Amino acid sequence: MTNLPRAGRRTPAGPRPRTLVNPNALRTRRGRAVYAVTLLTVVVTFTFVFVFPLYWMVTGAMKTPDELARTPPSPLPGGLDLTAYREAWHQLDLGLYLRNTFVYALGAWLFTLAVDVTAAYALSRLRPLLGGAVLGLMLATLMIPPMVILLPAYLTVKDLPPLGVSLLNTPWAIWLPAAANAFNIFLLKRFFDSIPTELLHAAQVDGASPARVLWSVVLPVSRPIVGVVSIFTVVNVWRDFAWPLLVLPDSERRTVSTAIASLAVQVPQNVLIASLVVASLPTVVVFFVFQRHIMAGLTAGGLKG
């Protein structure tokens, strides 16, 4: 017979969760006030730390060279002067280099989706022979510092085996290395693993081929993680400096980051800062617009069903 707790006897409660702030203290007026002040201080401090460099860069382009050289520096410009932005656009020919960078980023995005999505789908659903070993070798490349493989990658692009052609000063030197990204394949595979198997089997029963399943079933439900991979690819190509500097020596084919670095000694400091603002504006806008999609895509692969 089951022993029931007697009336008046308290049943043992489970262990209370230990938190940094005592829940009982938050029920008091003083505890809520201290918590609100602490939270506000932390949020404002971290926001200031991350936003202040952007503010300093935008306002620095509005200052004169004398104001930039002043000690201590003034937090506000003397006036709303956008002359440095116009000079940066014309003197550094930012239109050409922004167009070049856009072409490189667009091609890298297309090749990344074509290569990484199909590779992740094959490793997740088609289960090829030695697929686990292939995935392990891909992930092992993430342990290698990028500067270590910079020289072998350059030699490969300079004399592409087995064709023996040079890809220097061509968009292929940016597109092909961008598509070979083990981190993107890992993110996509994790998400593909979380897709219900019954959904894929239903498509296969209807006669859909693996390519049809990928295009009509997997990709429509994988838009969050595909968006994350797309954002990462575009931002990485846009901000990259060392690799375009090596493989695009022609001045007419440079990216915006390498062009600004090569022409920095020829323009005043406020014009240089203005060019940096213009070059970084697309990536900042992309982040603020799609930041929710980034977090949704990174966490979606951890949920089943």
Side-chain angles (χ1 to χ4, degrees):
M1 185 175 181
T2 306
N3 294 327
L4 299 177
R6 297 179 181 178
R9 179 179 298 179
R10 300 177 60 183
T11 58
R16 294 182 177 181
R18 296 182 179 180
T19 58
L20 185 62
V21 180
N22 190 351
N24 295 327
L26 295 178
R27 297 190 181 99
T28 64
R29 181 178 300 178
R30 181 175 180 274
R32 290 194 296 268
V34 172
Y35 177 78
V37 172
T38 304
L39 179 62
L40 182 62
T41 303
V42 172
V43 171
V44 171
T45 301
F46 277 90
T47 302
F48 176 80
V49 169
F50 286 102
V51 174
F52 180 75
L54 298 177
Y55 164 80
W56 193 259
M57 184 171 60
V58 173
T59 57
M62 302 179 185
K63 300 177 182 179
T64 63
D66 294 335
E67 288 179 324
L68 290 173
R70 184 180 304 169
T71 303
S74 59
L76 296 174
L80 187 60
D81 187 8
L82 302 179
T83 305
Y85 289 98
R86 291 192 293 268
E87 293 180 356
W89 184 268
H90 295 292
Q91 293 184 16
L92 300 181
D93 201 4
L94 291 181
L96 171 63
Y97 299 120
L98 287 174
R99 185 168 59 251
N100 290 344
T101 311
F102 176 78
V103 172
Y104 298 145
L106 178 62
W109 171 65
L110 294 176
F111 274 95
T112 296
L113 292 185
V115 174
D116 294 357
V117 169
T118 53
Y121 176 71
L123 293 173
S124 174
R125 293 303 177 179
L126 302 184
R127 307 294 176 87
L129 183 64
L130 301 178
V134 172
L135 179 62
L137 292 176
M138 289 183 181
L139 297 179
T141 60
L142 299 178
M143 305 295 107
I144 304 176
M147 298 304 297
V148 174
I149 63 175
L150 197 62
L151 180 58
Y154 173 78
L155 295 177
T156 303
V157 170
K158 185 179 179 181
D159 187 13
L160 183 65
L163 302 178
V165 297
S166 176
L167 301 181
L168 298 181
N169 283 321
T170 65
W172 297 98
I174 303 294
W175 295 344
L176 295 182
N181 193 306
F183 181 69
N184 290 342
I185 295 177
F186 174 69
L187 289 180
L188 291 166
K189 182 183 180 300
R190 277 192 58 203
F191 191 93
F192 293 164
D193 290 341
S194 67
I195 298 177
T197 307
E198 294 79 6
L199 185 63
L200 305 181
H201 286 172
Q204 293 173 355
V205 169
D206 291 339
S209 63
R212 183 67 177 178
V213 172
L214 173 62
W215 181 259
S216 302
V217 179
V218 175
L219 287 182
V221 300
S222 304
R223 283 178 293 181
I225 194 63
V226 171
V228 170
V229 170
S230 302
I231 294 170
F232 283 172
T233 302
V234 172
V235 172
N236 287 337
V237 173
W238 198 279
R239 70 179 183 178
D240 197 7
F241 177 78
W243 182 247
L245 185 65
L246 285 176
V247 299
L248 301 172
D250 189 356
S251 60
E252 297 295 325
R253 300 179 179 271
R254 292 172 179 169
T255 61
V256 65
S257 58
T258 57
I260 292 176
S262 61
L263 301 174
V265 296
Q266 304 177 15
V267 296
Q269 189 174 4
N270 60 339
V271 176
L272 174 62
I273 297 176
S275 64
L276 295 176
V277 174
V278 175
S280 60
L281 188 60
T283 55
V284 173
V285 171
V286 166
F287 172 76
F288 280 110
V289 172
F290 297 103
Q291 57 178 331
R292 292 186 178 181
H293 298 273
I294 294 176
M295 296 307 301
L298 290 178
T299 58
L303 303 177
K304 290 285 185 180

